[in-house]
Amino acid sequence: MTEYRPVTAHVVERLQNILGARNVSCDADKLLTYSRDEVQGPFWKDGCLAEVVVFPESTEDVAALVRLAGEERIPLTARGAGTGLSGGAVPARRGIVVSFEKMNRIIELDRENLTLTVEPGVVTAEINRAAVDAGLLYAGDPCSGDASFIGGNVAENAGGNKVVKYGPTGSHVLALEAVMADGSVTWFGGKRRKDVTGYDFVHLLVGSEGTLALITKIVLKLLPLPAEVVDLLVPFPDVASAVAFVPRIVTEGKVLPASIEFMDRRSINLTERFLNTNLPYSDAGAHLIIQLEGNDAESLADEYERIGDLCLAHGALEVFVADNRNSRDKLWKARKSITESVWAFHPGKNVNEDVVVPTGAVPELMRRLDEIVTRAGSAYVVFGHIGDGNMHVTAAPAPEEPDRESILHRIQDELYDVVKSLGGTLTGEHGVGLKRRDAITRFLDATQIDLIRRVKLAFDPQNILNPDKIVPWE
Ligand SMILES: Cc1cc2nc3c(=O)[nH]c(=O)nc-3n(C[C@H](O)[C@H](O)[C@H](O)COP(=O)(O)OP(=O)(O)OC[C@H]3O[C@@H](n4cnc5c(N)ncnc54)[C@H](O)[C@@H]3O)c2cc1C
C-alpha cells in the first residue's frame, strides 16, 4: 500500500503562498462537507476526511499545487459539485481536496467550429443555457444538471436523459486541458472532429474519475438546436408491458427519440409525494417518457401520433402529450426528482445500483430483479434510462428488519450475478469510485484490472491522484 505524508502546518503555509489564504481552508465544517458526495449511508468506513480543502482559480494554480503534492507525497482528490453517487470525490487516503468551484468560466463559444470551451467548475445547466442562447444544443443532460459541474460530468462520463440519441458526456468532448501528476500542463485533442494521431487520450481521461490527471479546461461539441420538442408520458398497466414496448419505438415506430425513460409505480408515487403533485394514471404499473424532436411542427405531430398509436396498440393505458413549456417542465421535474424522493422516504443505507445491460436484456433483468428482491422480502424502486438499458435500482428492506445488513448484501450479490449473466456491467453512468471498487473484480478479469493499475501508474507513478479508487490496490 502506498505510504503518504500528512498535511503539516508548513504544507498549509506553502499552499497559501501558491493560492492565497482565501483559497485554502482547514475549517472543520468545510473539511467534512468537502469530503462527502451524495452516496447515502456509505458502504466504506469513516476516516475519509480531507486535511485541507483548496480552491484554485487557474490552471497555473492547479499545476503548482500538484507539484507541491508530488514533492510532499500527499494525495489529491479532485472535486466538482459533490453530486457523485460513487464516492469518487471522497478523499479515500485523506490529504488535499481540490475544489473546482472557482474555475467556473465559460471561455469561448465558437460558432464557426460549433464548440464551447469551459472551465471544469461550470454548472452543467449553465452550459445547456449558453448553447440554447446561441441557438445551439449541448446534449449532455444528467438529472443532476442543475447542480453538477461539467468537470465532474467529464470525469464520470455522465449519462442522463439524452444518451439514447446523443451518447454520454464523452461523445460531446473534443479536447481537454489537463494537469498531469508531475504538474506539467498539456492539451489532449482539439477543435477538430477527427483525430487518429496517437492514442485517444481524451476519451481515456473521460470517465477516469480524477485518477489520471486533473482536468482544467474542456472543449465541448455543440449541435443544431431542434426547433420543436414534444414529450409523451405513457402509462402501462404493468412493468412487463412497458419494458416490452421500448424496442418497438425504433423497430416499428422508425424513430430514434432523444429520451426513453422508465419509472415504476413506486418511483411515480414517491416523486408525487415528494413534490406534492399529481401525475396522470399514477396507479399504473409503469410509465415511459418518450421525447421526440424535430424542426417542423407538422411532421413532429405526425411522428408523435404514430408513436402514440403504437403505444396504445401495445397495451398503453393512455398517451399524454406534453408540448408546451409548463407541461414538459412538470413532467421532467417529476422524473428528475425521483432519486431525492427515494432518499427522502427510504433514508439510510440501502442498495442503490446503477446497473446496465444490453437493451434487449432489460425485460429479463426486470423479471429477475423482481424475483430477487421479493424473495428477500424487501421493498424496491426501479427507474432509469431504459433506452440505454441503464436501470437505477433501490432496494430498501424495512428499517426494523433485524437481518437488514445481510439482506442488502444478498440482494446486491444476486443482482450482480444476474446483470453479469445478461452481458451487463456494474455501473452505466455513476462510476466505480470508492463505493463499487471492491465489486469491480466481479465484472473485469485479472488482465483488465492489472491493466487499469498499470495505466494509472503510467500517468501517476507516485499514486497521488485520487488514490484507492476504481480498483482495489492492496
Ligand atoms: C439527484 C441526482 C441525480 C443524478 N442523475 C444523474 C444522471 O442522470 N446521470 C449521471 O450520469 N449521473 C447522475 N448523477 C450523479 C452525478 O451527478 C454525476 O456523476 C456527476 O457527473 C457528478 O458531477 P459533480 O460535479 O458533482 O462531481 P463530483 O461528485 O464532485 O466528482 C465526481 C468525480 O469527478 C472527479 N472530478 C471532478 N472534477 C474533476 C476535474 N476537474 N478533474 C478531474 N477529476 C474531476 C472527482 O474526483 C470524482 O471522482 C446524479 C446525482 C444526483 C444526486
Side-chain angles (χ1 to χ4, degrees), residues 345-461:
F345 299 111
H346 295 287
K349 191 165 165 179
N350 292 310
V351 164
N352 288 305
E353 297 299 332
D354 169 48
V355 293
V356 57
V357 295
T359 50
V362 174
E364 182 63 8
L365 172 69
M366 299 296 254
R367 270 193 296 278
R368 306 275 290 277
L369 168 69
D370 189 62
E371 276 170 24
I372 292 167
V373 191
T374 309
R375 194 165 53 236
S378 170
Y380 78 101
V381 182
V382 55
F383 63 98
H385 314 294
I386 196 166
D388 323 324
N390 182 199
M391 304 308 292
H392 301 320
V393 177
T394 296
E400 62 278 9
E401 167 62 58
D403 210 12
R404 203 168 183 281
E405 193 86 4
S406 66
I407 291 175
L408 285 172
H409 282 289
R410 198 164 65 241
I411 293 172
Q412 194 177 46
D413 189 49
E414 292 182 17
L415 178 64
Y416 286 170
D417 277 349
V418 166
V419 167
K420 189 167 183 202
S421 73
L422 294 173
T425 195
L426 182 58
T427 169
E429 58 179 23
H430 294 164
V432 179
L434 194 48
K435 177 178 166 174
R436 301 186 178 89
R437 179 193 60 190
D438 297 333
I440 198 171
T441 50
R442 294 175 66 152
F443 292 87
L444 301 186
D445 65 21
T447 304
Q448 295 176 59
I449 298 287
D450 180 51
L451 199 51
I452 288 176
R453 290 195 187 115
R454 286 190 291 134
V455 170
K456 159 74 173 162
L457 292 177
F459 273 76
D460 177 18

Side-chain angles (χ1 to χ4, degrees), residues 78 80-84 88 100 143-144 149 152-153 155-156 158-159 209-210 215 429 466:
T83 68
F100 281 94
C143 288
S144 50
F149 293 173
N153 292 172
E156 294 290 0
E209 304 189 12
I215 296 161
E429 58 179 23
N466 210 1

